[in-house]
Amino acid sequence: MTAQTLDTHPLVAAVAGLHAELDRMDPAAWAGLDAATARRLVSDLSRAEARLVGQKMAAARALDQTSAARDAGAVSTADLLAKDFGGDRHSADRLVRRAERISKTSHTQEALSKGRVTPEQADVIATGLAKLPPKATPAQRDLAERTLLKDADRLRPAGPAPTDPTG
């Protein structure tokens, strides 16, 4: 691929467009919104964030299938991603592992890219599907995945227990 081909790729234009739109958003403007609008927009931004993570996972998977990390002197794709932005190897490693798990699903990656599930929900679904018995048929796997996606709003990834504010 030539540099010009890369510059006209739709993904290059889309990412540039995202940055242009974000540049138009002044963080100080949030103070002037009514609470209902701010709440709706936080929800919309969360959905957009999930969609971006889905795209980031797809990019990490594509990068992982190349020799880019080795060519750049990195020990892994996660190491390369960490060096490229912020140095957080743990987060980069988690991204690459999640991307790999989710890539083995039939519908979950699409649901994530559409913002219908969060990255954490997608990971719970992919992890659950990976635990199905090997004798499960493709139709059974498909039904299980569709059921998990339908019920995703009830899926809560394990995390620290909430603290009791009353002590």
Side-chain angles (χ1 to χ4, degrees), residues 29-45:
W30 290 96
L33 287 177
D34 64 275
T37 301
R39 182 178 177 194
R40 180 178 52 81
L41 291 177
V42 167
S43 179
D44 289 347
L45 285 170

Side-chain angles (χ1 to χ4, degrees), residues 7-27:
D7 289 344
T8 59
H9 193 283
L11 289 173
V12 173
V15 171
L18 282 170
H19 283 287
E21 289 302 316
L22 289 170
D23 288 346
R24 293 175 0 127
M25 296 175 67
D26 180 3

Side-chain angles (χ1 to χ4, degrees), residues 61-140:
R61 267 195 320 276
L63 188 59
D64 199 39
Q65 295 171 355
T66 70
S67 63
R70 184 180 61 243
D71 295 347
V75 296
S76 67
T77 299
D79 185 43
L80 179 65
L81 294 174
K83 288 177 181 177
D84 284 349
F85 190 78
D88 185 354
R89 172 69 190 273
H90 177 72
S91 293
D93 201 33
R94 186 175 61 236
L95 174 76
V96 172
R97 285 192 320 267
R98 269 187 175 174
E100 179 60 29
R101 277 192 300 272
I102 292 170
S103 74
K104 295 176 182 171
T105 65
S106 299
H107 311 288
T108 304
Q109 176 63 42
E110 179 184 359
L112 178 59
S113 72
K114 301 288 186 201
R116 293 193 301 258
V117 295
T118 67
E120 293 78 14
Q121 290 168 324
D123 197 31
V124 167
I125 291 167
T127 299
L129 292 172
K131 293 178 181 178
L132 288 175
K135 65 181 181 179
T137 67
Q140 290 169 326

Side-chain angles (χ1 to χ4, degrees), residues 130-154:
K131 293 178 181 178
L132 288 175
K135 65 181 181 179
T137 67
Q140 290 169 326
R141 290 179 179 282
D142 188 70
L143 178 61
E145 183 175 8
R146 288 179 187 275
T147 300
L148 289 169
L149 284 167
K150 184 177 75 112
D151 294 339
D153 62 329
R154 295 183 312 170

